[in-house]
Amino acid sequence: MGIGIILFAVLALFLLFQYHWKRRHLYKISMKLEGPPALPLVGNGLSFLHKQEDFLGVISKIISTYTGPTRFWLGPHLLLLFSHPEHVEKILLSTKLSHKHELYDFIKIYIGEGLVSSSGEKHKRYRKIIQRMINTKFILGNMDTFQKHINIFLEKLSSRCGKCTFDIHEAIHLCCADIIGEIVLGMQMKAQYGQNMDFVHASAEVYTVAYERIMKPWYHPDIIYNFTSGKKEQSRIVSISYNFIKRHITNAIERVRTAKEDKNRIRPLIDQIADVIDKDTSVMDETDFVYNMYTLYLASEDTLTIIIAMLCVCLGMYPQYQKRAAEEVRSLHADTSGTIAYDNLSDLPYLAMCIKDVLRLIPIAPLIARRANEDFAIDDYVIPKDCGIIVSIFDLHRNPKHWENPSHFHPDHFLPDAVNSRHPYAYIPFSAGPRSCVGKQLAYSSLKLIMVNILQRFEIEADGKFPDIVLRSDITTRSVSGYNVRLKERVWN
């Protein structure tokens, strides 16, 4: 018995030594860089044992405390934190640093090896397929679809006019679910009429449930997480979302195989991808088809919802900017009830500046996590293979060196002279390099179109200024207290 215990202890010590010996390159760079003191096993995990609204502040405090690249440990993961545009440019342009970090494995539970979470050749293949589909022709061909759902949205907002403060998020959320449901998934979601709400609500909960597990290292092992309430929520969300998307993929495959080709019809993305797979089944299996469609739905719907909701709040808080944006819309489009043409969306430079500054203040992905798949030099440091890299877009977008009014909504940040004087990587709302967002053009066009319709019909009021808003992070950036506004019918002089 005694010998057995001794042998077991020797074996355990040997395995522990082997584990740490293989990670010695991580410990070496960790000792060279500044960073907060770490504890065994959990690292700096206890620093993030806060409410979600405190997380971004913790990261910002770490960045402001140390001058250069900063290291911290999240459980066994060594993460190097970067927020200077010169460093960010090198990171995002490098193919050596284009692989997603293991922390995204907890996102993969929901979206699998889709466009956002995949790496390597699989990501390149999926990006090539999807990127060529989301083009000007696709956007132009869906303008009527957008307007159809926006008109329902406007009528629902009309019932709020002249009444007390309300949270505009839910109305925008349902409108965007209808839009993306049709142009991406090829279905009539009818969320604005209360249909398919299990899927709509489950999709909204993905970010919160996944974030909680990522930021608590003791939840990382399945053997522990499987006994938590989070596991039950995770299973429920995965079941609802996977089965919902799979059902509509089946419908898309049937449409592709039975329908006659109509070159003038703009097909939803799900039909276009089904057509590609029908011609070459090796490009994507059914599971990855499901996950890619869910990724496209989540990324598109949530981006539009959050940015439009926050832009309404900002324009209400800063009426001088709302007046300029509304006057620009009015000068371009005199008919307050008609629809705007796609070509006219590019003739709204001030509205574009407003959208860009909201994307600066609440970047869709406040942090980007990458993993070095080989050694990579930045300045005097060599980032070793397997080391984690965090780019803080949130802090990059608030650096007073590059932004005149970093904590306020200030569209003049995007006047031509200001843009030209700023480092190009000081502003990366859709990331950059080989992993930049494939839907950037669709996002900007959609955001403009929805805001044009709102500004044509309504005058927005909101209390306070942007620094009064408490933000939280759950993969993306959101307001803790909602998106509270008041509406009045706009009266044009």
Side-chain angles (χ1 to χ4, degrees), residues 246-264:
K246 186 176 180 180
R247 185 163 64 249
H248 289 287
I249 282 178
T250 301
N251 296 337
I253 292 171
E254 184 66 20
R255 285 194 299 268
V256 166
R257 291 177 177 173
T258 60
K260 292 182 179 179
E261 181 73 16
D262 182 357
K263 294 183 179 180
N264 295 319

Side-chain angles (χ1 to χ4, degrees), residues 300-346:
S300 303
E301 186 274 316
D302 193 60
T303 298
L304 294 183
T305 297
I306 297 300
I307 299 305
I308 289 295
M310 187 59 80
L311 182 52
C312 286
V313 173
C314 287
L315 291 175
M317 288 178 162
Y318 299 81
Q320 69 275 26
Y321 301 142
Q322 181 180 174
K323 182 180 178 181
R324 288 183 62 181
E327 287 175 348
E328 180 181 70
V329 170
R330 176 65 168 167
S331 66
L332 178 67
H333 195 60
D335 185 357
T336 59
S337 60
T339 58
I340 189 169
Y342 173 77
D343 291 342
N344 292 140
L345 292 178
S346 60

Side-chain angles (χ1 to χ4, degrees), residues 149 152-153 156 170-182 187-201 244 297 301:
H149 297 299
I152 298 170
F153 166 66
K156 291 186 177 293
E170 182 66 8
I172 297 170
H173 174 44
L174 299 180
C175 174
C176 292
D178 281 348
I179 292 170
I180 302 305
E182 184 162 353
M187 64 163 296
Q188 298 298 318
M189 186 78 75
K190 295 187 177 180
Q192 294 186 94
Y193 294 111
Q195 296 186 26
N196 296 296
M197 297 311 292
D198 282 352
F199 173 75
V200 171
H201 288 152
F244 184 90
Y297 174 84
E301 186 274 316

